[in-house]
Amino acid sequence: MRAQTLHITGIVQGVGFRPFVYNLAKELELDGWVLNSSDGVFCTVQGSSSHVDSFLRRVSDDAPPMAVIQSVITEEIEPEVFDGFSIRESAAIQGARTLISPDVATCDACASELADPSDRRHRYPFINCTNCGPRFTIISDIPYDRPLTTMAAFPMCPDCAKEYADPTNRRFHAQPDACFVCGPRLFLNANSASADAIVPPAAAWSPEVEIDPRPHRDRETESVRSDEILATASRLLLDGRILAIKSLGGFHVSCDATNEDAVRELRERKHRKGKPLAIMVSSVQEARVFCEINAQEEELLAGHVRPIVLLKLREDVSSPVAESVAGGLREMGVMLPYTPLHHLLLSDVGRPLVMTSGNISDEPIATDNAEALVRLHGIVDAFLMHDRAIHSRYDDSVVRVVGDIVEPVRRARGYAPFPLELPFETDVDILATGTEQKNTFTLLSGRHAFVSQHIGDMENAETLEAYEKTIGLYQDLFRIDPKLVAYDLHPEYLSTKFAHSLNLPKTGVQHHHAHIVSVTAEHGVEEPVVGFAFDGTGFGEDGTIWGGEVLLSTWSSYERLAHLAVVPMPGGAAAVRRPARMAVGTMLGLDPAMLEHPGAAPLLSRLEDGEERLLRQMVERRVNTPLTSSMGRLFDAVSALVGIRDEALYEGQAAIELEAAADLRAEGSYQFGMPSSENHEIDPRPVFWAILDDIDSGIPPGVISIRFHRAVSQGIVSLGKEEAACVGARHVALAGGVFMNRLVLGATVRGLENAGLQPLTHVSLPMNDGAVSFGQAVVAWARRHEV
């Protein structure tokens, strides 16, 4: 007889771990117990030595599919008397921490029951089990038990309670477990005359329906009511109406993706001109009709996260999706249903649906029913809602595959709040407040880096409020008490002002240094690296706007080895919104004679009356004209110069469309002037003169685009080889929004590998500013431990 205790940490709550342990112990004829605690799962097993050994091996090897085990600490104890094997009440330990599962897409077993007419949850829009359903979006505290979630308002009916209490059942201690009798229900509120005509008044939500606790209902009556609401919602979508649909982490705004008029109307109402929209399709097979999908992309589409996957559009077929969905690009954001409600809607409508965030552009997505009725009033014709509250706001995650690299674009639902494992252990908790655009924050504690979900652009009070609330939630749930705060050097960022408002020691971190460290720390590379931080904007230590930076970087410090030549940005932010301005400013900064070249004539002819004269005066007099070394702005300038995009309707549009226009079959490349020991600037003048010559010769924009892209990637490889040899570095780190470009990233990685260098790119975080907070936090830790 032998007895052993185990303390198991990681994502081991809300994933069916206790019933797994229970059934494994029963199978191996072991006695003992298992319980959830605030810092993981504890259990004791007792039995024959061989069976205990088997348990210790299989508790990790055969763990539930959604579990992520980080450690198993075991201790031999004296045998004692047990009455079989039991699951004990959860135990809360003051100050202890456990990890929480992100929300999980509907599993195959639940999807099968959803479609089975003989199942009591047939077509129930909130079916779930221990392998799927809401997790982080509904939890208010740990341990993860129903009273500490937004499901506390829904007392279980006898049938659900029986499943919940049965360790052999798939729904044992599934905290969101429910059915038509006892669980959340659908509501449909009309918001236009056309919707009013067909939406039954009894379907509407109002605050009065949210009685706590909710009463039980008749299953048959509720099933019929639910199907009537779904049928009406489907009819509205098929009639070209726009709906707000409550999902896991917030509302979507949705319409028929094959209806051009509906898509254009959605864009107009949502003030989302030009920017691509994501769609939801019923299956991978449906997506293959109009998209190219490789094995990695299929796995991402159909996995347990189900993010938006950016897929290349097929050129050999005509797509059924409205042309304006993709905004004229060669790729489209596609996702599969990840909630039972999505499965039902896609099945009933029978067409792809636009699924974009439920907000006015630049605001946080709506999560609360009453809030949505007000904020989305001017956008949608009807609201398809439910009464399960959302405790934590989450956007959909976005990923893309470049070569064999899975590149996160936006890290949110399904990925956060799972932490990154640190290559060191912190002695104090650290908060890093992130940047202005694509903001995230990071909390370091122990060996964990909790990088928040995508917060958004920190440009208004609503987003700041959501940001502060989410920081508080993470600190409470993960028992983190920061003693140091790191921030971006830009004095006007709301995230920087928030950091300064805290009564904590502070560390300012340069934006591009944080970018590079965010990559190297993901890989655990502490030694000096050559880092290319290419993006649109970052406050430089010399007061200019950086963004084309080559750094020799460690975790605590950096040296600026080289940078893109500095050029004026006439109007500052106005030059970002109008790339034509940026093109004129760039040429005035590089060589004013460029504006006399015949190749510049098409651009100048498109300027407004007096605009060229005004821009010349602004640059000459340095009036509202900051200087920048940004590679992102150089992409904007080229896009305008070749006639692709003069006015940007959304951030990054000019560069994105320049990439989309590239003719991959064309030959040739331009070449940047490389830095020297006397001059540390990367010189774009040879590139611009060559572009002007090509425009004057009638070379198509697509050919110019690919030649420019090759110049950028070849310049990185050439300079990377040279600088790495000079400083003795083995690694070249790539970071910043420019590397969201498939052409630049793919060619650069291949070129560096062929040169015998080891390129480092992000694994779990985006290339864009969504990763900066992680870099800030690591820099703050490293400086604290400098000798």
Side-chain angles (χ1 to χ4, degrees):
M1 186 66 65
R2 178 177 159 209
Q4 196 94 19
T5 65
L6 294 85
H7 178 203
I8 305 159
T9 65
I11 296 182
V12 290
Q13 295 189 21
V15 293
F17 203 84
R18 285 177 299 171
F20 157 70
V21 168
Y22 176 91
N23 288 308
L24 180 59
K26 287 289 190 181
E27 176 190 335
L28 295 172
E29 299 177 333
L30 298 173
D31 295 335
W33 51 265
V34 62
L35 61 78
N36 270 351
S37 173
S38 301
D39 60 345
V41 167
F42 286 86
C43 72
T44 293
V45 290
Q46 179 173 294
S48 71
S49 183
S50 62
H51 285 190
V52 169
D53 286 339
S54 180
F55 180 91
L56 295 177
R57 183 184 71 255
R58 291 176 60 185
V59 77
S60 295
D61 293 349
D62 299 347
M66 296 301 107
V68 179
I69 294 177
Q70 292 197 318
S71 68
V72 180
I73 301 168
T74 63
E75 182 183 356
E76 196 92 18
I77 61 171
E78 287 296 316
E80 55 183 294
V81 176
F82 294 106
D83 184 14
F85 195 90
S86 63
I87 297 176
R88 292 185 174 178
E89 292 263 333
S90 297
I93 300 174
Q94 187 70 27
R97 174 191 307 148
T98 193
L99 303 183
I100 301 167
S101 169
D103 292 17
V104 183
T106 307
C107 69
D108 291 343
C110 283
S112 177
E113 291 171 347
L114 186 71
D116 182 0
S118 66
D119 194 276
R120 72 185 185 92
R121 292 187 179 87
H122 175 231
R123 292 183 60 83
Y124 179 55
F126 308 99
I127 189 172
N128 66 85
C129 69
T130 52
N131 296 323
C132 68
R135 296 291 187 273
F136 191 72
T137 54
I138 64 171
I139 188 171
S140 60
D141 204 351
I142 56 173
Y144 176 64
D145 283 323
R146 196 177 183 104
L148 299 178
T149 73
T150 60
M151 286 299 295
F154 300 92
M156 284 180 284
C157 67
D159 287 338
C160 288
K162 183 178 178 181
E163 294 171 332
Y164 184 88
D166 181 0
T168 66
N169 192 285
R170 198 174 86 248
R171 293 186 171 90
F172 174 74
H173 278 235
Q175 306 307 336
D177 185 26
C179 69
F180 282 114
V181 174
C182 62
R185 62 201 305 235
L186 288 180
F187 298 88
L188 185 62
N189 286 42
N191 194 44
S192 67
S194 57
D196 263 329
I198 64 171
V199 174
W205 176 90
S206 67
E208 290 72 29
V209 305
E210 297 198 354
I211 304 164
D212 193 3
R214 306 289 199 277
H216 290 172
R217 301 173 296 273
D218 176 71
R219 192 190 76 82
E220 190 61 36
T221 302
E222 189 60 27
S223 174
V224 170
R225 175 186 173 277
S226 180
D227 275 347
E228 287 177 348
I229 288 174
L230 286 167
T232 306
S234 299
R235 178 178 165 188
L236 288 168
L237 289 166
L238 290 170
D239 285 346
R241 307 304 172 201
I242 300 168
L243 266 63
I245 301 172
K246 190 175 183 181
S247 186
L248 283 177
F251 279 80
H252 285 119
V253 172
S254 182
C255 71
D256 178 356
T258 68
N259 185 326
E260 185 68 53
D261 290 339
V263 175
R264 290 185 183 277
E265 182 66 19
L266 183 152
R267 285 188 175 282
E268 185 67 28
R269 295 184 191 178
K270 199 172 181 288
H271 308 305
R272 189 182 172 109
K273 297 179 179 178
K275 193 172 185 179
L277 297 165
I279 67 168
M280 182 176 283
V281 298
S282 62
S283 65
V284 172
Q285 291 70 30
E286 184 178 5
R288 285 193 195 279
V289 172
F290 48 90
C291 294
E292 298 177 10
I293 303 175
N294 64 27
Q296 280 179 298
E297 291 163 337
E298 180 174 355
E299 185 176 347
L300 288 164
L301 282 169
H304 66 269
V305 174
R306 300 209 168 181
I308 297 169
V309 183
L310 300 181
L311 301 173
K312 293 178 183 176
L313 290 169
R314 290 176 57 179
E315 297 180 0
D316 60 332
V317 297
S318 177
S319 172
V321 176
E323 187 176 348
S324 61
V325 167
L329 301 182
R330 292 178 178 174
E331 65 180 13
M332 182 180 294
V334 179
M335 60 179 160
L336 267 57
Y338 59 83
T339 72
L341 178 57
H342 293 152
H343 281 276
L344 293 169
L345 270 181
L346 268 290
S347 174
D348 292 355
V349 174
R351 297 177 189 176
L353 296 176
V354 167
M355 287 283 185
T356 188
S357 53
N359 59 357
I360 298 289
S361 294
D362 298 328
E363 292 183 359
I365 58 172
T367 58
D368 179 74
N369 291 347
E371 170 200 13
L373 289 171
V374 174
R375 287 179 51 202
L376 305 182
H377 175 76
I379 299 177
V380 302
D381 297 298
F383 295 83
L384 181 59
M385 302 187 286
H386 57 77
D387 59 346
R388 184 180 65 209
I390 296 170
H391 192 74
S392 185
R393 178 183 280 109
Y394 265 74
D395 288 275
D396 291 315
S397 293
V398 183
V399 300
R400 74 196 309 180
V401 177
V402 181
D404 59 354
I405 300 171
V406 176
E407 182 184 13
V409 176
R410 183 170 72 198
R411 183 178 181 268
R413 175 187 55 78
Y415 295 106
F418 187 70
L420 278 63
E421 187 78 12
L422 290 170
F424 53 83
E425 186 162 4
T426 62
D427 55 338
V428 297
D429 294 349
I430 299 172
L431 166 66
T433 60
T435 62
E436 181 174 71
Q437 293 185 324
K438 299 175 177 62
N439 177 274
T440 64
F441 63 82
T442 292
L443 287 158
L444 295 193
S445 184
R447 297 193 69 89
H448 290 140
F450 293 91
V451 182
S452 76
Q453 68 266 35
H454 169 83
I455 301 294
D457 294 346
M458 295 275 286
E459 297 176 342
N460 53 57
E462 294 85 0
T463 306
L464 178 62
E465 181 182 356
Y467 169 82
E468 293 180 1
K469 178 182 176 182
T470 308
I471 289 176
L473 176 67
Y474 271 62
Q475 289 182 188
D476 290 345
L477 285 179
F478 300 118
R479 310 303 194 242
I480 296 173
D481 184 18
K483 301 300 182 185
L484 174 65
V485 61
Y487 61 90
D488 191 275
L489 296 180
H490 198 299
E492 294 305 312
Y493 282 178
L494 290 179
S495 57
T496 299
K497 292 180 177 180
F498 173 75
H500 282 294
S501 74
L502 302 175
N503 187 25
L504 293 173
K506 299 169 181 64
T507 298
V509 182
Q510 200 282 322
H511 184 91
H512 300 96
H513 182 212
H515 257 309
I516 298 303
V517 173
S518 69
V519 175
T520 57
E522 265 210 87
H523 290 270
V525 175
E526 192 173 5
E527 65 191 66
V529 304
V530 175
F532 287 81
F534 284 3
D535 62 3
T537 299
F539 193 81
E541 293 191 349
D542 60 1
T544 64
I545 299 171
W546 291 7
E549 311 309 307
V550 186
L551 308 179
L552 176 62
S553 173
T554 65
W555 289 352
S556 61
S557 63
Y558 73 95
E559 177 187 348
R560 198 182 188 197
L561 298 175
H563 59 85
L564 196 63
V566 173
V567 296
M569 286 179 67
V576 179
R577 295 189 295 269
R578 182 158 167 75
R581 272 188 176 228
M582 194 66 233
V584 173
T586 299
M587 289 187 284
L588 287 172
L590 295 176
D591 188 341
M594 289 180 179
L595 290 173
E596 310 304 323
H597 191 292
L603 169 67
L604 299 179
S605 71
R606 298 192 305 272
L607 297 179
E608 297 174 1
D609 291 344
E611 188 175 6
E612 181 186 352
R613 183 176 66 256
L614 174 63
L615 295 176
R616 284 180 180 271
Q617 291 173 348
M618 292 175 71
V619 171
E620 288 168 5
R621 300 172 187 176
R622 288 288 185 264
V623 176
N624 191 22
T625 302
L627 298 176
T628 183
S629 59
S630 166
M631 181 62 82
R633 299 287 79 84
L634 196 71
F635 269 79
D636 288 353
V638 172
S639 182
L641 183 58
V642 301
I644 289 174
R645 174 58 57 179
D646 289 341
E647 199 87 29
L649 301 176
Y650 60 90
E651 191 252 333
Q653 183 180 15
I656 290 168
E657 292 183 353
L658 181 67
E659 176 190 2
D663 183 353
L664 305 183
R665 299 162 298 181
E667 297 180 350
S669 172
Y670 306 128
Q671 189 170 359
F672 284 88
M674 288 292 108
S676 65
S677 56
E678 295 80 26
N679 184 352
H680 297 293
E681 290 190 338
I682 304 166
D683 187 359
R685 284 178 296 179
V687 172
F688 267 69
W689 282 117
I691 289 174
L692 291 167
D693 287 343
D694 279 353
I695 293 172
D696 187 43
S697 300
I699 301 298
V703 176
I704 296 174
S705 173
I706 191 62
R707 290 175 178 175
F708 174 70
H709 279 83
R710 288 172 183 153
V712 173
S713 57
Q714 289 170 8
I716 295 169
V717 172
S718 175
L719 188 55
K721 286 167 56 179
E722 181 180 331
E723 296 290 5
C726 286
V727 301
R730 298 178 299 125
H731 301 93
V732 176
L734 309 175
V738 168
F739 292 104
M740 304 295 289
N741 184 305
R742 288 181 187 266
L743 301 179
V744 171
L745 179 63
T748 301
V749 168
R750 290 192 299 272
L752 290 171
E753 288 174 340
N754 291 338
L757 293 166
Q758 187 171 345
L760 301 178
T761 62
H762 278 296
V763 178
S764 300
L765 300 176
M767 284 286 195
N768 57 40
D769 283 4
V772 167
S773 66
F774 176 57
Q776 292 171 344
V778 174
V779 171
W781 175 85
R783 288 178 181 170
R784 178 179 165 81
H785 291 85
E786 277 185 308
V787 178

